[in-house]
């Protein structure tokens, strides 16, 4: 493959798209098996309308060592038995850091290092820093789509099994007043 040349990537605030764009992925309820507290409710939703929970649109910058790829993630608003819709969440195998910039809607980053849990509220303009070694999951805590830009080392990778094995410490539910209520992961 030819070397990547300097490039300007246009971000469309309304459409939440990148141009030029790289790969896009769409995650539906059927892709999120075992991740919500209420697996039966998740499975029922997957067997029914199977809604799109989130999309990830990448720039053409490849996920390769020394590159610095970026993507826009858009999480739809919703809850499954009270638990806010969210990304799968992952750990970076070599513990690289990552930054997120909230663009629209409201959300949060749930992080877990195997011992401690951290929760960052994300409003448009908030830069969330994910330090080395913290698994990260994004959550839409609002009533509109929540979109953010992610910038991460090209060799960071995605270890999804780590989250299945260790959990995320906590879960984000919709509280009585509509705001996020963090509860113990297994409760
Ligand atoms: C952000 C970045 C991506 C990640 C995406 C969705 O855009 O962290 O690397 O793929 O969120 O999160 P997940 O891979 O956990 O589903
Ligand atoms: Zn990451």
């Amino acid at each position: 493959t030819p070397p990547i040349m300097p490039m300007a990537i246009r971000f469309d605030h309304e459409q939440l798209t990148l141009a030029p764009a790289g790969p896009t992925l769409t995650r539906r309820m059927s892709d999120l098996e075992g991740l919500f507290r209420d697996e039966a409710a998740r499975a029922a939703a997957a067997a029914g309308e199977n809604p799109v929970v989130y999309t990830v649109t990448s720039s053409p910058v490849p996920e390769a060592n020394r590159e610095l790829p970026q993507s826009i993630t858009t999480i739809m608003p919703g809850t499954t038995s009270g638990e806010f819709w969210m990304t799968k969440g992952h750990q970076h195998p070599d513990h690289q850091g990552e930054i997120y910039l909230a663009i629209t809607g409201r959300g949060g980053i749930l992080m877990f290092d195997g011992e401690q849990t951290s929760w960052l509220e994300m409003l448009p303009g908030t830069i969330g820093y994910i330090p080395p070694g913290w698994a990260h999951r994004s959550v839409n805590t609002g009533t509109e789509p929540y979109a953010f830009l992610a910038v991460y080392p090209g060799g960071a990778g995605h270890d999804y099994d780590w989250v299945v094995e260790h959990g995320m410490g906590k879960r984000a539910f919709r509280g009585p007043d509509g705001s996020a209520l963090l509860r113990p992961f297994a409760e």
Side-chain angles (χ1 to χ4, degrees):
T1 52
I4 299 299
M5 295 299 286
M7 71 176 100
I9 299 155
R10 220 189 97 71
F11 170 59
D12 184 324
H13 264 259
E14 305 299 320
Q15 304 298 315
L16 304 174
T17 53
L18 299 173
T24 291
L25 76 87
T26 299
R27 290 219 161 104
R28 294 177 176 272
M29 257 325 160
S30 53
D31 300 309
L32 303 179
E33 187 177 353
L35 297 178
F36 288 97
R37 182 80 195 91
D38 188 346
E39 167 57 19
R42 197 256 355 138
E49 279 190 359
N50 197 20
V52 170
V53 179
Y54 62 100
T55 60
V56 183
T57 300
S58 303
S59 85
V61 178
E63 291 191 349
N65 273 330
R66 300 165 66 214
E67 299 285 358
L68 197 61
Q70 59 283 145
S71 57
I72 304 292
T73 300
T74 305
I75 309 175
M76 299 306 144
T79 55
T80 295
S81 295
E83 188 173 6
F84 282 123
W85 284 6
M86 61 195 186
T87 61
K88 288 177 71 168
H90 60 272
Q91 176 68 284
H92 297 156
D94 295 323
H95 288 185
Q96 291 96 330
E98 181 164 0
I99 58 169
Y100 288 173
L101 168 63
I103 293 162
T104 188
R106 60 187 308 139
I109 313 173
L110 185 64
M111 291 185 247
F112 185 53
D113 72 353
E115 288 178 9
Q116 292 186 73
T117 300
S118 166
W119 172 254
L120 301 184
E121 275 224 62
M122 298 289 287
L123 293 171
T126 307
I127 295 173
Y129 180 57
I130 299 156
W134 290 75
H136 37 290
R137 162 175 286 166
S138 291
V139 181
N140 185 339
T141 59
T143 53
E144 301 163 36
Y146 163 57
F148 64 92
L149 168 74
V151 183
Y152 52 98
H158 298 85
D159 184 351
Y160 295 107
D161 291 343
W162 191 96
V163 168
V164 173
E165 207 176 301
H166 298 86
M168 286 298 297
K170 299 216 164 123
R171 294 178 178 280
F173 287 83
R174 179 151 64 204
D177 65 351
S179 68
L181 190 69
L182 296 184
R183 295 212 210 130
F185 193 79
E187 191 173 89

